[in-house]
Amino acid sequence: VLSVSYRTPRSLTDRAERVMAALGQPVLFPLSAVRDVEDAYALTHVNAHPDPTLPPDRDPLWHVVQEVIDAEGLRLDAEAGPGAGRIAVLVGSGRALSWGADTTGFSGLDQRVSLLGALAAKGLEFDTVVLVEPGELLADGPGDLFVALTRSTRRLHVVAGGPLPEGLRA
């Protein structure tokens, strides 16, 4: 049982545990994070009805996600050096299909930005995670949402147009 997290900042492990508790799915083996990162959480709420079946070119959420990726890339450039660091864009299974995300975790990992389903990100870590529509990941299962919430080593940026699970609202 993993009880100490050397990777995920304390503020993010605490948030993930609060989300799970609010869902009635408390974490059986809470994590004790050894470090924290200032400003590790961000939320961008989009005024758009989420539709996971839309392809990226027709999905208004995709354009906002692109802007967030660009901003988070600039942030990583400033913190880690130009072009350094990795960003994962994590989506639920329905959006993974329509956006063409990797659902296996075996492709695109050599690029700075990887588009993945939550299960494909399990066991991996990224400097920044852009989590798209956490409610869709929750529909896949609370474990998928927990995995997505705990993949970041620096920053988690949630982008949502739909309702947010308790604990993710700012």
Side-chain angles (χ1 to χ4, degrees):
V1 172
L2 177 66
S3 61
V4 178
S5 174
Y6 296 96
R7 173 189 70 230
T8 307
R10 182 178 310 108
S11 56
L12 297 182
T13 59
D14 290 351
R15 184 176 296 273
E17 290 179 4
R18 283 193 311 271
V19 168
M20 298 309 289
L23 294 169
Q25 302 280 326
V27 176
L28 297 178
F29 303 101
L31 292 172
S32 175
V34 298
R35 67 185 188 90
D36 205 3
V37 174
E38 188 176 328
D39 199 26
Y41 181 74
L43 170 64
T44 298
H45 200 272
V46 180
N47 191 14
H49 180 71
D51 183 350
T53 64
L54 291 175
D57 62 336
R58 294 189 39 228
D59 191 342
L61 197 58
W62 175 253
H63 302 289
V64 175
V65 168
Q66 288 289 341
E67 291 171 3
V68 168
I69 291 168
D70 291 345
E72 293 297 341
L74 291 173
R75 184 183 184 97
L76 270 177
D77 287 346
E79 292 175 0
R86 295 180 57 221
I87 300 171
V89 179
L90 302 183
V91 296
S93 61
R95 197 170 297 275
L97 292 173
S98 64
W99 281 13
D102 179 10
T103 56
T104 64
F106 293 110
S107 67
L109 295 180
D110 57 345
Q111 300 169 13
R112 188 176 200 195
V113 179
S114 298
L115 177 61
L116 302 164
L119 286 180
K122 190 172 185 177
L124 302 176
E125 61 185 53
F126 302 89
D127 296 287
T128 300
V129 169
V130 177
L131 173 54
V132 180
E133 289 298 348
E136 292 174 7
L137 275 86
L138 180 57
D140 292 340
D144 286 7
L145 180 56
F146 185 79
V147 164
L149 293 171
T150 58
R151 297 302 92 201
S152 175
T153 63
R154 292 178 185 243
R155 187 160 160 92
L156 171 66
H157 195 137
V158 172
V159 179
L164 290 169
E166 188 65 39
L168 287 181
R169 298 176 195 126

